[in-house]
């Protein structure tokens, strides 16, 4: 594999991990064996967990027809469509032909991200809020890319990070908050809503953060296409210079990567060592409006 410039040491480690993954594909009694392509994601995750400093230079090739089909199946199906006006029901009629064509366009660099269609829906307070609807193929490819990024990054995220992660939710975060406050005898709690995060992320900073861990030109180009695809509203197309795709399948993962570095790492490595009292932080997604909430708790010194 060419996942890092540090060839010999990592190559040996990769072989050992590949052997473990290969053994895992045989399955245990009463369980289904892993598919070969599933073991590829397992290898990716095991490599990431084994070496937090490992830089992945080649991961995009794992986006194959199998992963695209799996991504399509995992999407939330609805009757709405993006600017392509293609629904999931219509796409499914020739699913494998469509996915093979999409894969070829990805391989040859002919894949083009379409603008996000923005519509407005009513809120309970009588106001309106915007939502973005992506073209179906953009959703599929974003889901596939998010799956790869999750394999690389999820083992790196802190356990107190509960926002938009598999097997994490707001209820766990609130329960952890209550238990930690009792155990550490916390006296002060600071709660902050990170609203508008998806719309305001600094793209240059986001790209530099991702490159520290995933320096794969193909993945970075895909992310760049989605960030720069634009927004269509009322027949006019605009091109925001900040933020992640509104309604994008990839946006929660990109936001988690961003917040892991600028908030979670900052608190653990810069803030916490300077505090005299006991402290902790918990982060989770606050609502369907895609806001994050961070809670910092501090006990009095002593």
């Amino acid at each position: 594999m060419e996942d890092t410039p540090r060839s010999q040491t990592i190559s040996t480690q990769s072989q050992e991990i590949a052997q473990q993954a290969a053994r895992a594909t045989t399955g245990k009694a009463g369980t289904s064996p892993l598919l070969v392509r599933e073991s590829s994601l397992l290898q990716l995750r095991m490599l990431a967990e084994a070496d937090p400093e490992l830089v992945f230079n080649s991961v995009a090739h794992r986006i194959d027809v199998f992963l695209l089909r799996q991504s399509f199946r995992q999407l939330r199906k609805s009757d709405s469509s993006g600017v392509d006006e293609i629904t999931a029901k219509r796409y499914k009629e020739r699913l494998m032909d469509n996915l093979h064509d999409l894969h070829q366009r990805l391989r040859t660099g002919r894949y083009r991200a379409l603008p996000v269609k923005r519509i407005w829906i009513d809120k309970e307070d009588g106001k309106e809020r915007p939502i973005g609807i992506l073209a179906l193929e953009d959703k599929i490819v974003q889901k596939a890319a998010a799956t790869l990024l999750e394999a690389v990054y999820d083992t790196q995220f802190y356990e107190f990070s509960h926002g938009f992660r598999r097997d994490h939710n707001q209820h766990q975060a609130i329960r952890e908050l209550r238990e930690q406050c009792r155990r550490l005898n916390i006296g002060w709690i600071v709660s902050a809503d990170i609203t508008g995060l998806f719309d305001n992320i600094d793209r240059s900073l986001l790209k530099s953060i991702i490159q520290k861990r995933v320096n794969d030109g193909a993945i970075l180009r895909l992310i760049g296409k989605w960030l720069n695809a634009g927004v269509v509203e009322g027949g006019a197309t605009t091109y925001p210079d900040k933020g992640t795709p509104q309604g994008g399948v990839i946006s929660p993962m990109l936001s988690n990567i961003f917040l892991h570095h600028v908030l979670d790492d900052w608190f653990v490595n810069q803030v916490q060592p300077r505090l005299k009292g006991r402290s902790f932080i918990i982060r989770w997604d606050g609502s369907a409006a895609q806001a994050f909430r961070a809670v910092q708790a501090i006990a009095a010194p002593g």
Side-chain angles (χ1 to χ4, degrees), residues 109-222:
R110 292 182 293 114
Y111 163 78
R112 184 170 65 93
L114 296 178
V116 177
K117 182 170 73 175
R118 177 181 290 166
I119 63 174
W120 293 79
I121 62 174
D122 295 330
K123 297 172 61 176
E124 293 182 358
D125 59 5
K127 298 181 180 179
E128 292 184 322
R129 71 176 180 89
I131 63 171
I133 303 177
L134 272 68
L136 183 61
E137 287 193 335
D138 291 337
K139 291 181 183 180
I140 296 171
V141 182
Q142 285 191 20
K143 180 61 179 177
T147 298
L148 296 182
L149 292 177
E150 180 186 32
V152 171
Y153 279 99
D154 197 66
T155 59
Q156 188 177 356
F157 292 155
Y158 294 102
E159 280 303 306
F160 60 72
S161 171
H162 297 284
F164 297 112
R165 291 178 64 193
R166 191 191 306 270
D167 300 325
H168 289 259
N169 56 54
Q170 299 97 322
H171 301 292
Q172 290 174 315
I174 294 172
R175 182 169 60 250
E176 182 181 335
L177 172 63
R178 181 176 61 248
E179 293 173 355
Q180 287 274 60
C181 285
R182 290 175 177 173
R183 185 174 64 85
L184 298 177
N185 192 26
I186 293 298
W188 294 87
I189 295 178
V190 179
S191 176
D193 287 324
I194 311 172
T195 56
L197 174 67
F198 288 8
D199 297 330
N200 293 286
I201 284 180
D202 184 305
R203 294 176 177 176
S204 296
L205 180 56
L206 173 64
K207 182 178 179 180
S208 67
I209 288 172
I210 294 174
Q211 282 182 302
K212 293 178 181 178
R213 186 65 160 158
V214 179
N215 195 23
D216 182 334
I219 290 293
L220 295 173
R221 283 191 293 274
L222 281 176

Side-chain angles (χ1 to χ4, degrees), residues 260-302:
H260 171 78
H261 286 270
V262 304
L263 177 62
D264 301 347
D265 258 351
W266 168 75
F267 179 81
V268 170
N269 297 315
Q270 301 295 325
V271 177
Q272 207 164 27
R274 291 175 168 81
L275 297 176
K276 295 182 179 179
R278 298 174 296 278
S279 65
F280 66 89
I281 188 173
I282 296 176
R283 176 168 62 81
W284 70 92
D285 57 292
S287 69
Q290 300 173 337
F292 281 85
R293 170 165 292 182
V295 174
Q296 174 186 334
I298 306 173

Side-chain angles (χ1 to χ4, degrees), residues 93-118:
E93 292 174 357
R94 299 181 63 251
L95 180 61
M96 295 312 298
D97 288 340
N98 288 330
L99 293 180
H100 278 287
D101 179 69
L102 174 58
H103 182 239
Q104 285 302 311
R105 281 182 278 131
L106 285 168
R107 286 184 62 250
T108 57
R110 292 182 293 114
Y111 163 78
R112 184 170 65 93
L114 296 178
V116 177
K117 182 170 73 175
R118 177 181 290 166

Side-chain angles (χ1 to χ4, degrees), residues 10-164:
I10 298 302
S11 176
T12 302
Q13 183 184 54
S14 298
Q15 292 176 11
E16 294 174 352
I17 291 176
Q19 291 171 2
Q20 294 177 39
R23 288 194 294 270
T25 62
T26 60
K28 298 180 181 179
T31 64
S32 300
L34 287 171
L35 297 175
V36 173
R37 297 174 182 87
E38 290 176 334
S39 70
S40 176
L41 291 176
L42 175 61
Q43 291 174 38
L44 193 63
R45 184 180 182 90
M46 293 173 70
L47 282 169
E49 187 172 10
D51 187 355
E53 302 300 321
L54 181 62
V55 178
F56 293 86
N57 295 322
S58 178
V59 296
H61 64 278
R62 289 178 168 87
I63 301 181
D64 56 11
V65 175
F66 170 84
L67 183 55
L68 292 173
R69 182 175 61 176
Q70 175 180 292
S71 300
F72 174 80
R73 290 174 174 173
Q74 293 174 340
L75 291 178
R76 293 180 179 178
K77 309 298 192 299
S78 69
D79 295 330
S80 60
S81 62
V83 296
D84 58 346
E85 298 184 348
I86 298 176
T87 63
K89 182 178 179 180
R90 176 182 165 190
Y91 197 84
K92 189 177 180 181
E93 292 174 357
R94 299 181 63 251
L95 180 61
M96 295 312 298
D97 288 340
N98 288 330
L99 293 180
H100 278 287
D101 179 69
L102 174 58
H103 182 239
Q104 285 302 311
R105 281 182 278 131
L106 285 168
R107 286 184 62 250
T108 57
R110 292 182 293 114
Y111 163 78
R112 184 170 65 93
L114 296 178
V116 177
K117 182 170 73 175
R118 177 181 290 166
I119 63 174
W120 293 79
I121 62 174
D122 295 330
K123 297 172 61 176
E124 293 182 358
D125 59 5
K127 298 181 180 179
E128 292 184 322
R129 71 176 180 89
I131 63 171
I133 303 177
L134 272 68
L136 183 61
E137 287 193 335
D138 291 337
K139 291 181 183 180
I140 296 171
V141 182
Q142 285 191 20
K143 180 61 179 177
T147 298
L148 296 182
L149 292 177
E150 180 186 32
V152 171
Y153 279 99
D154 197 66
T155 59
Q156 188 177 356
F157 292 155
Y158 294 102
E159 280 303 306
F160 60 72
S161 171
H162 297 284
F164 297 112

